[in-house]
Amino acid sequence: MFKIVKREEMAEGTVILNEIEAPLIAKKAKPGQFVILKANEDGERIPLTMADTDPDKGTITIIYMVVGKSTALFKTLKVGEVFQDVIGPLGKPTHLEKVGKVVCVGGGTGVAVLHPITRALKQVGNDVTCIIGARTKDLLILEEEMKAASHDLRVCTDDGTYGHHGFVTDVLKEAMEDGDVNLVVGIGPVPMMRAVANLTRPFEVKTLVSLNPIMIDGTGMCGGCRVTVGGETKFACVDGPEFDGHLVNFDELMLRLQAYCEEEKACYEDFCTLQAAT
Amino acid sequence: MTEKAKKKVKAPRVGMPEQKPEIRKRNFEEVPTGYTVAMAQEEAARCLQCKKPGCVAGCPVSVDIPGFINLVSQGDFTGAIRHVWTKNALPAVCGRVCPQEIQCEGLCIVGKRGEPVAIGNLERFVADWERENGTGELPPTAPPTGKKVAVVGSGPSGLTVAGDLIQKGYDVTVLEAFHKPGGVLVYGIPEFRLPKAIVAQEVNFLERLGAKVEVNAVVGRTVSLDELFEEGYEAIYLGVGAGLPRFMNLPGENLIGILSANEYLTRANLMKAYLFPDVDTPIPKGKNVVVLGAGNVAMDSARTAMRLGADNVKIVYRRSRDEMPARAAEIHHAEEEGIEFFLLTTPTLFKGDDKGRLTGMECLKMELGEPDDSGRRRPIALEGTEFHMDTDLVIVAVGSGANPLLTQSTQDMELNQWGYIVADEETGKTTKKGVWAGGDIVTGAATVILAMGAGRKASDSIHQYLTWGW
């Protein structure tokens, strides 16, 4: 059992932060790694990349958007309640190295995943610019944290309610054109990561993306999370979750993420009806 | 042969009642329903009580088969199960999933003249009798040695090591990466062949004996082997299974609707997705299902698909019936349930629609050539025999490789060229001091009982080491 010690609602209640007691994982986890969580006996195993860890306190932090039955169920858990199972740390950590100028680009809840990676890249001596975005001002998360984790933070909203009016890629384009960028890290919805990778490709600047496909065990056993990278099949859970964005087949990933869309929709609607009734 | 013995050899084997195929093919309840007391005693009476029993020699964990069968024939079921437990901590499992026809029953003297004694059925009977009517009284354990042993993986070999060492007085902790203990017994073998309540009961038996079970512990990630030694464990047994699904490496293999058997069975068994939407994990329900491969895992996948409501289920296998690696009973059960067999057939590519969903596959007919490295005749493609097969769900059950998760994070332990752990055949010792290994991570994918046999050898060796040294 893994107790929730802190809970926050962000982005108008569509995004939830949970700080969870998991001392073994907190001690071991490195930026870029993920955990699998299961709320109760009949729950689904949901992979989420950690947004933060506190080895002294023995806690990990996850930030997730409510998109279906399982995340809606997670949202109902209060401080003091538990996740039945938390497994990790899983996946390969981010490769941390001083390369010079780094641009970290985050969209939606991808900003949460980007947070520890950005901080670590800064700590090893890189000059880190950070670009984060959301559809609208009220959906933006972790602005203060990202400001502290980087040297220069730029904010965008799709509707212009805050910061730059437009997409993160618009601001990224300017940063790339200024030159000298040695590494780009892009984490967010798949279309955003694809756009980031397409934008940086002509500049020939290494671009990392973090993938979150459907998976069960997270240890390389099921092969559900297979993605095509550079023409080869990789398992995101053990070979990733970070890959070279210029080599990822994003179209295939988008399709594979829809594998259970009908089942998920029915299951979620059912849950929402039940929630509303009780 | 005495008159009495002749009579026993002629007596027909008592079959175990089963659910009828047309009913069971759409439910997840166990197929054979078990012996009654009378059936068990009638079958036990067929045993010749040989002085040099072939059956025991054929058992990888050396259960005293005539001994326990004698107790069954006398009606002493409590004594019988305790006699089995001295050699086998998982009798309810073995009675159900061992390939008896090539082990104990294959060497039964009665079987040389007639049908062999139904040893597996009797083993299952005594284990089930104990669970349903038994005293629950535990077998004796040795006084505590104060020494800690870690068992990594809670599948059949890990549980065997845990059972052996707990009875010898060690402080045993079993570490399992999944959220439930049992390994392949819970994620792989389906409910209709091995009810999960029975696995839970066998694990609970070990816990009552004093073994600790920690789930959600991914050794190699959550904790390393060296850290386990630092925590005070003096010996570590690795029974982590093979655990890396093989695919066919054919065009279109990442279409939606193509799953490894590992994924398909884990969804169905561990996650109980056959109960979706009452549980939260979904499973694809195909109409025209194809299973690639013909081992036990392929049969389990095919029979699961049938139970999930498929219109038809085909086993597609590149060799012929004689080479099919599955246990005879599984092939028989699959055929009874209407699974079709497309032998000497191999897929060449998968086709999908614009949503990335599988719609069919192209196949080729094969013929058998000269024997290959495995001793089986090599399948050769026949040019010009291409044909199309409609399918919306393909389950790939063509074997497993060595999962590198643990071994990659353990630099000072030797692996062979395929990534399996190098371990001494007689003792299970690896090249890393204080670490033993056995089961599929040493041999490659095999059976439950062979993994248990490896566990037995390793537990003997661990006991020696902790008594006398490496």
Side-chain angles (χ1 to χ4, degrees):
Chain A
M1 298 290 177
F2 298 80
K3 196 161 88 181
I4 297 171
V5 295
K6 188 174 145 192
R7 181 186 182 282
E8 273 178 31
E9 293 198 1
M10 309 163 121
E12 299 181 317
T14 58
V15 174
I16 309 294
L17 174 149
N18 283 153
E19 188 178 342
I20 305 161
E21 267 177 14
L24 293 176
I25 301 172
K27 200 170 87 183
K28 273 298 180 71
K30 294 194 174 69
Q33 289 190 298
F34 68 95
V35 287
I36 284 181
L37 304 104
K38 184 166 151 295
N40 56 29
E41 184 61 27
D42 293 334
E44 213 180 346
R45 290 168 65 102
I46 299 292
L48 287 170
T49 304
M50 285 171 273
D52 210 347
T53 57
D54 187 335
D56 297 329
K57 236 170 112 185
T59 61
I60 62 167
T61 299
I62 51 159
I63 295 177
Y64 55 90
M65 190 182 292
V66 177
V67 291
K69 157 87 191 271
S70 292
T71 41
L73 178 65
F74 286 5
K75 186 184 172 179
T76 65
L77 298 175
K78 302 181 188 79
V79 170
E81 293 186 322
V82 296
F83 282 91
Q84 185 168 308
D85 301 289
V86 180
I87 302 106
L90 300 168
K92 288 185 177 163
T94 307
H95 175 71
L96 297 170
E97 189 187 0
K98 185 175 172 181
V99 293
K101 194 169 170 190
V102 178
V103 181
C104 294
V105 189
T109 45
V111 176
V113 176
L114 193 62
H115 173 241
I117 298 169
T118 307
R119 188 172 53 192
L121 284 167
K122 184 181 171 189
Q123 274 167 2
V124 296
N126 291 295
D127 172 13
V128 182
T129 298
C130 191
I131 306 166
I132 61 172
R135 223 167 54 237
T136 185
K137 185 184 180 212
D138 294 334
L139 297 181
L140 195 71
I141 61 167
L142 300 180
E143 187 186 356
E144 285 309 309
E145 288 83 350
M146 293 310 280
K147 191 179 262 175
S150 59
H151 295 95
D152 177 20
L153 175 73
R154 302 181 201 176
V155 180
C156 325
T157 47
D158 297 0
D159 64 357
T161 44
Y162 188 58
H164 172 82
H165 184 170
F167 299 123
V168 284
T169 39
D170 304 338
V171 183
L172 174 62
K173 188 159 182 271
E174 287 167 25
M176 297 306 290
E177 282 164 354
D178 288 345
D180 303 332
V181 177
N182 303 95
L183 174 71
V184 173
V185 183
I187 303 176
V190 178
M192 185 213 97
M193 292 195 283
R194 177 169 55 190
V196 166
N198 284 343
L199 192 141
T200 60
R201 190 173 285 115
F203 293 94
E204 295 180 1
V205 173
K206 186 170 180 185
T207 300
L208 290 177
V209 293
S210 179
L211 309 183
N212 194 9
I214 294 169
M215 62 177 75
I216 300 188
D217 60 289
T219 61
M221 220 194 75
C222 83
C225 66
R226 53 199 199 276
V227 288
T228 303
V229 181
E232 277 180 54
T233 294
K234 300 277 181 191
F235 290 180
C237 66
V238 286
D239 299 321
E242 286 172 20
F243 292 101
D244 182 339
H246 295 154
L247 300 177
V248 171
N249 183 337
F250 288 106
D251 295 340
E252 180 188 273
L253 175 64
M254 293 268 275
L255 291 172
R256 286 185 64 81
L257 282 168
Q258 297 302 311
Y260 297 99
C261 58
E262 278 175 32
E263 289 92 337
E264 279 165 4
K265 195 166 164 254
C267 194
Y268 185 30
E269 281 169 3
D270 203 38
F271 181 77
C272 292
T273 315
L274 204 69
Q275 284 282 103
T278 53
Chain B
M1 194 177 266
T2 63
E3 278 308 308
K4 201 174 154 195
K6 273 184 193 158
K7 210 170 146 195
K8 287 189 176 199
V9 170
K10 277 192 190 150
R13 173 171 159 131
V14 181
M16 187 176 278
E18 288 180 354
Q19 281 196 71
K20 288 201 169 58
E22 60 273 23
I23 295 177
R24 72 180 192 235
K25 68 192 261 194
R26 298 297 192 196
N27 73 50
F28 277 84
E29 280 147 45
E30 198 173 9
V31 171
T33 52
Y35 275 161
T36 60
V37 167
M39 287 172 177
Q41 287 191 277
E42 184 187 339
E43 182 59 22
R46 294 181 64 231
C47 176
L48 293 176
Q49 295 292 312
C50 306
K51 292 226 167 52
K52 287 185 190 161
C55 54
V56 179
C59 175
V61 294
S62 310
V63 169
D64 175 15
I65 293 163
F68 98 80
I69 291 184
N70 187 36
L71 291 165
V72 173
S73 67
Q74 292 168 17
D76 179 5
F77 308 132
T78 299
I81 183 66
R82 276 154 190 79
H83 200 63
V84 175
W85 277 342
T86 61
K87 293 287 182 181
N88 184 351
L90 308 172
V93 172
C94 289
R96 288 171 165 83
V97 305
C98 270
Q100 287 98 2
E101 72 267 23
I102 56 165
Q103 293 174 349
C104 53
E105 294 180 18
L107 295 171
C108 171
I109 311 293
V110 178
K112 302 219 185 290
R113 297 281 186 86
E115 289 177 292
V117 175
I119 299 165
N121 289 352
L122 289 169
E123 186 180 30
R124 170 184 161 162
F125 169 79
V126 294
D128 288 359
W129 191 89
E130 171 69 18
R131 192 177 61 253
E132 286 155 15
N133 314 295
T135 59
E137 188 197 326
L138 295 170
T141 51
T145 61
K147 292 183 175 178
K148 282 169 71 177
V149 179
V151 173
V152 183
S154 65
S157 83
L159 293 180
T160 299
V161 172
D164 284 359
L165 293 178
I166 201 82
Q167 293 191 53
K168 290 192 165 87
Y170 294 97
D171 179 355
V172 180
T173 303
V174 181
L175 302 155
E176 166 57 44
F178 266 131
H179 57 269
K180 266 200 172 67
V184 73
L185 307 175
V186 296
Y187 76 73
I189 303 177
E191 180 76 16
F192 55 83
R193 201 148 78 78
L194 179 63
K196 300 311 138 209
I198 284 168
V199 181
Q201 180 87 16
E202 302 270 45
V203 174
N204 180 257
F205 168 68
L206 298 178
E207 287 182 303
R208 287 194 300 136
L209 283 173
K212 290 178 275 256
V213 178
E214 281 182 26
V215 294
N216 300 326
V218 187
V219 177
R221 291 274 199 239
T222 316
V223 64
S224 71
L225 295 186
D226 289 331
E227 285 165 332
L228 288 174
F229 283 125
E230 284 164 27
E231 285 177 27
Y233 291 100
E234 293 183 55
I236 301 173
Y237 178 74
L238 304 177
V240 296
L244 184 75
R246 283 215 184 96
F247 286 90
M248 306 283 291
N249 296 318
L250 294 175
E253 198 155 26
N254 290 346
L255 287 163
I256 298 170
I258 304 177
L259 283 77
S260 73
N262 267 1
E263 177 178 1
Y264 186 70
L265 291 174
T266 301
R267 284 180 182 274
N269 302 329
L270 178 74
M271 306 311 293
K272 300 209 177 296
Y274 61 91
L275 300 173
F276 181 88
D278 291 339
V279 302
D280 298 342
T281 305
I283 188 162
K285 291 185 179 172
K287 290 275 167 233
N288 303 302
V289 181
V290 167
V291 178
L292 302 175
N296 289 324
V297 172
M299 299 304 144
D300 286 345
S301 303
R303 297 172 69 197
T304 297
M306 185 58 89
R307 281 159 175 77
L308 285 169
D311 290 343
N312 57 77
V313 182
K314 300 180 182 77
I315 293 269
V316 171
Y317 181 50
R318 62 194 182 132
R319 301 181 206 249
S320 74
R321 180 168 290 265
D322 290 345
E323 289 82 19
M324 300 204 318
R327 193 172 168 244
E330 306 314 325
I331 297 170
H332 173 69
H333 278 146
E335 284 189 312
E336 281 188 335
E337 290 165 15
I339 312 291
E340 300 163 67
F341 288 75
F342 279 65
L343 304 173
L344 292 166
T345 304
T346 197
T348 53
L349 71 89
F350 301 103
K351 290 180 170 175
D353 62 16
D354 58 354
K355 299 256 171 61
R357 289 180 185 266
L358 176 73
T359 55
M361 65 182 200
E362 294 298 309
C363 298
L364 266 181
K365 298 300 286 179
M366 314 288 278
E367 65 176 0
L368 293 180
E370 295 300 307
D372 63 13
D373 298 344
S374 72
R376 295 178 300 179
R377 294 175 64 192
R378 185 192 301 274
I380 302 164
L382 290 169
E383 294 303 321
T385 59
E386 293 83 359
F387 69 102
H388 177 85
M389 200 180 267
D390 279 339
T391 173
D392 55 348
L393 177 60
V394 165
I395 300 154
V396 185
V398 296
S400 307
N403 187 313
L405 191 78
L406 169 65
T407 52
Q408 261 175 7
S409 67
T410 313
Q411 294 302 327
D412 51 347
M413 186 168 63
E414 200 184 321
L415 307 178
N416 70 16
Q417 57 178 314
W418 300 285
Y420 294 107
I421 298 172
V422 173
D424 184 275
E425 225 173 278
E426 284 314 305
T427 62
K429 277 182 182 176
T430 69
T431 56
K432 185 174 169 69
K433 193 182 171 198
V435 180
W436 283 254
D440 287 3
I441 191 58
V442 172
T443 57
T447 60
V448 166
I449 189 68
L450 287 176
M452 291 177 63
R456 166 62 39 76
K457 286 177 179 172
S459 67
D460 287 345
S461 173
I462 292 169
H463 177 52
Q464 261 185 1
Y465 164 70
L466 293 177
T467 315
W468 308 105
W470 186 255

